[in-house]
Amino acid sequence: MDGSNSKDALSIEKRADGVFVIRMDVPGEAVNTLRASFAKDFAEVFGAIEHDPACKAIVFTSGKKSGFIAGADIAMLKDVKSAHEASELARTGQKAMDRIEAFRVPVVAAIHGAALGGGLEVALACHGRVASDDKKTKLGLPEVMLGVLPGAGGTQRLPRLVPIQTALDMLLTGKQIDAKKAKKLGLVDEVVPQPILIEVACKLALSLANEGRAGKERGAPSKKLEGLEAVQEAALTRTPLGRKFLFDQAQKQLLAKSRGNYPGPERILEVVEKGLADGFVAGLDAEARAFGELVVSPQASQLMNIFFAQNALKKDNGVSDASVKAREVTRVGMLGAGLMGGGIAYVTATIAGLPVRLKDKDPEGVARGLGHVRGLVEGRVKRKRLTRQEANEQLALVTGTTDDATMKGCEVVIEAVFEDLALKHKVLAATEAVGGPEVIFASNTSSIPITQIAEGSSHPETVIGMHYFSPVDKMPLLEIITTAKTAPWVTATCVELGKKQGKTVIVVNDGTGFYTSRILGPLMNEAAFVLSEGVKIEDIDQALVDWGFPVGPITLLDEVGIDVAAKVGPIMLAEFGDRMTAPPGFEKLLADKRYGRKNERGFYLYGKGKTSKDKKVDPSIYPLLGLEPKKHLPADEIAQRCALLMVNEAAHCFGEGILRSARDGDIGAIFGLGFPPFRGGPFRYVDTIGAKEIVRRLERFRDRLGVRFSPAPVLVEMAKTGQSFHGDKPIQPGGFPRKKKS
Ligand code: NAI
């Protein structure tokens, strides 16, 4: 934040044609980020050439190969103490952008690589933008994902440059778009190959100078809308009625998704509307004020915590000794070409770029798996994310087989065959026979302890769990499970492979249900208890969605499969005892062949034309369970009962040392199970509410509803000592080992 290393961040090349090329290259950093001092640096550089008659135009670009400007330095925001301080930071940024925009000669941004957040705001303030057609070139305003909004004029300039709907979409989702799309939207003027980027930008800058475009009217769009589009745009943005319609609609859609849990997007709508109604300057003022308030909001604080945790995980090799290196993986073996195997093969080939041998027990299975991969790749071609040639190259990386011998040469073999210990042992033995003592055998089992699988190995140090989530191509988390015998290099190698597959990876110690399945169990179980008391299914799902989960627990039960949950339940009960007891009567579901969405018989009605949005509860479920859905419970009580049991189980995992850190537990719950991000994860949630209060709530429920609410020992201890899971002196994991049942 002191900006000491940004002093020499900007350099000027004075070209003979009168274009001055300003390059940003923050010394000592891999990527350019904007710090508090950048406004001063900009002022100095622009001040130095203000009166230079040789300067006819400016091209602003990055001196880094890695990209343009990746955004503002988030650590700087995290350090901010008050809303006022944050607002001032925004105003400083706004002034720097104003200075570029009002400069005597035109300024053109030459963009190669990421132009995100503050980086895009710099580009927006320029008079023209040229982007390289490189895959790395991405433009976006991702601030909303950190719970804030673009604070250097982005909320005002973007809607003046591109159609309002596009601007709102980019601002509210934080999505990143490539150069081609940016050109189509009018966000950039030209897209060219990277080697000629600067030349083309200089040409554009000179031609703008010739047109006298410098100091142009603020916010003039670079692409003129025509015909109906232009009329629509004017109606929506320039008339009070149009604006009311537009923003009411946007607000409605937003609340349907955010349930009012995220102030960031709401404030974005507010400041964009303000700017359209009352003008640019009023818009900037609203932007700075909203930015200030959001930066110090609890939601932004949690979202930034997640951002930092993810960054820390990117650097974590998954073992306590940071010097342990991952071994090189040149080829991956995939056993089982079903739902999971196909998905894992897909991310290995297309994201990690590694060759995969995909094995199934018969040619039909292989064909199904290859078809799965092909379907996903072709989908990307259709959506124009891949060229035909790229698709062919990716597809060529996945080859099918029914022969174990072809697994030779694979450093890592992942198995996703049926969930059956004997079968897992059989494929493990076959893998070791072919692969030798150093082949890593990674199981994607969802419920069998890895230690039991490793018992079938002649070198258990190479056996590990790699627990992916379905659908593998979309779910961001990978939970890696180690046994007491897993060698550190094996863990480090699998962590590295997971990262290459695009996953956020946490490493946990082996135990029934590992971490994620284990903490999901009690939440789902409690939802079943609430239902068994006669509360409506919709009310239960709604309560948890309002609390911030992406779907309700009963919907999830249908998705996961009632049969799968019924299998896991008794295993959890045998291992953890009373607190996993399920409410009586649910066996009737299986007897009625209700397995969930997979056979279109579950708690909800499925079938033709039913999308997940308009699905309805199957009314026959209540008589089947012998219930009358008449009871009303406050939504908050339903949510608390379910969520607190997840949080409590997470605390058990922490106390027993299943988790390596509270950070991993937060990330695992958010990315694997959809725990509300704005609450920061189960452990951040405890820290926010306070362990004492969490214990008090659990005990109140325990006295009313039973022992399943008994607080985890680590929480009881923390309630006494006042310690927290995060912070300067956090409590350490593993202090409360589970007493084995005799
Ligand atoms: P699936 O039934 O879709 O696929 C299993 C595949 O294994 C089938 O294609 C089958 O022909 C093949 N197979 C059976 N014996 C084989 C052998 N000896 N050699 C090679 N292939 C063989 O099952 P799914 O859903 O893909 O699950 C696979 C594993 O992943 C299971 O252990 C499951 O518990 C686990 N898992 C499943 C998740 C899910 O959501 N479906 C999530 C996480 C883990």
Side-chain angles (χ1 to χ4, degrees), residues 272-450:
V272 172
E273 188 175 10
K274 179 83 182 161
L276 291 180
D278 298 341
F280 193 86
V281 175
L284 279 188
D285 181 54
E287 176 188 273
R289 270 187 290 127
F291 181 83
E293 287 160 27
L294 288 172
V295 165
V296 294
S297 69
Q299 292 87 347
S301 168
Q302 296 298 12
L303 295 175
M304 287 183 207
N305 286 335
I306 297 171
F307 174 83
F308 290 122
Q310 267 186 295
N311 274 355
L313 279 169
K314 280 185 196 150
K315 293 180 199 135
D316 191 343
N317 66 353
V319 293
S320 48
D321 178 355
S323 70
V324 174
K325 293 266 173 299
R327 291 199 186 163
E328 194 190 1
V329 176
T330 61
R331 182 179 295 273
V332 173
M334 186 65 239
L335 303 178
L339 179 72
M340 297 304 286
I344 300 167
Y346 170 79
V347 294
T348 310
T350 64
I351 303 178
L354 290 169
V356 188
R357 295 293 281 153
L358 180 58
K359 195 215 145 187
D360 210 286
K361 62 180 172 21
D362 46 44
E364 294 74 35
V366 176
R368 217 176 29 243
L370 292 175
H372 180 170
V373 176
R374 179 174 286 279
L376 291 170
V377 171
E378 295 299 340
R380 284 180 63 79
V381 175
K382 238 189 221 152
R383 292 195 302 279
K384 299 215 163 43
R385 301 283 161 81
L386 283 183
T387 62
R388 183 74 262 153
Q389 191 190 339
E390 288 164 337
N392 289 345
E393 280 165 14
Q394 293 187 347
L395 287 170
L397 286 172
V398 189
T399 48
T401 181
T402 53
D403 181 5
D404 284 318
T406 59
M407 291 289 143
K408 202 169 172 63
C410 296
E411 293 89 355
V412 178
V413 174
I414 306 171
E415 75 77 16
V417 298
F418 300 137
E419 187 75 339
D420 169 350
L421 182 60
L423 179 60
K424 307 261 185 208
H425 277 158
K426 193 177 129 201
V427 299
L428 167 62
T431 303
E432 292 187 346
V434 172
E438 301 220 316
V439 62
I440 296 176
F441 183 84
S443 175
N444 177 52
T445 173
S446 45
S447 62
I448 305 172
I450 305 301

Side-chain angles (χ1 to χ4, degrees), residues 30 34 43 70 94 96 132 192 217 322 363 435 509 593 615 626 706 729 737 741:
L34 296 178
Q94 290 176 348
S132 83
V192 297
E217 191 188 325
N509 287 311
K593 297 210 168 32
K615 67 183 189 319
K729 281 191 194 146
K741 280 189 289 173

Side-chain angles (χ1 to χ4, degrees), residues 48-282:
I49 49 182
E50 176 86 69
H51 304 293
D52 189 335
C55 179
K56 291 192 194 140
I58 292 174
V59 163
F60 186 90
T61 193
S62 161
K64 294 217 185 282
K65 285 203 177 68
S66 57
F68 186 69
I69 304 173
D73 180 11
I74 314 293
M76 168 182 86
L77 295 185
K78 193 79 180 142
D79 286 345
V80 163
K81 296 282 176 297
S82 69
H84 175 74
E85 192 188 328
S87 288
E88 286 307 305
L89 216 52
R91 289 185 207 281
T92 309
Q94 290 176 348
K95 278 194 196 112
M97 303 308 159
D98 283 352
R99 178 105 167 95
I100 297 176
E101 191 172 56
F103 203 63
R104 171 178 73 80
V105 297
V107 186
V108 168
I111 305 164
H112 170 64
L116 301 175
L120 183 56
E121 290 181 292
V122 171
L124 290 174
C126 292
H127 307 100
R129 284 150 295 279
V130 181
S132 83
D133 62 4
D134 197 280
K135 270 206 145 59
K136 278 200 304 199
T137 298
K138 296 268 180 234
L139 296 89
L141 294 170
E143 286 85 347
V144 68
M145 289 149 100
L146 292 171
V148 296
L149 50 69
T155 64
Q156 303 305 307
R157 287 196 177 89
L158 188 66
R160 285 168 171 80
L161 202 63
V162 300
I164 184 71
Q165 306 273 20
T166 306
L168 288 182
D169 184 40
M170 283 183 71
L171 285 160
L172 294 175
T173 61
K175 69 163 65 147
Q176 300 178 13
I177 57 174
D178 62 20
K180 226 165 106 189
K181 183 95 187 275
K183 168 91 173 46
K184 212 167 137 196
L185 298 174
L187 190 54
V188 301
D189 302 282
E190 288 187 61
V191 178
V192 297
Q194 195 257 332
I196 59 166
L197 177 68
I198 300 295
E199 277 316 310
V200 174
C202 288
K203 241 188 177 164
L204 176 65
L206 281 175
S207 79
L208 290 179
N210 289 337
E211 287 169 25
R213 276 276 299 276
K216 61 167 191 171
E217 191 188 325
R218 199 172 245 155
S222 59
K223 181 182 154 191
K224 277 234 163 347
L225 294 176
E226 284 167 2
L228 190 61
E229 258 189 326
V231 176
Q232 268 174 356
E233 183 71 6
L236 286 176
T237 57
R238 308 238 176 99
T239 64
L241 216 61
R243 284 195 297 271
K244 182 167 167 27
F245 171 76
L246 173 71
F247 286 96
D248 281 356
Q249 283 295 104
Q251 174 89 358
K252 233 169 68 205
Q253 281 172 9
L254 182 69
L255 285 179
K257 258 203 234 144
S258 75
R259 308 275 163 175
N261 288 325
Y262 294 86
E266 288 180 43
R267 302 304 299 270
I268 288 173
L269 283 182
E270 179 193 306
V271 304
V272 172
E273 188 175 10
K274 179 83 182 161
L276 291 180
D278 298 341
F280 193 86
V281 175

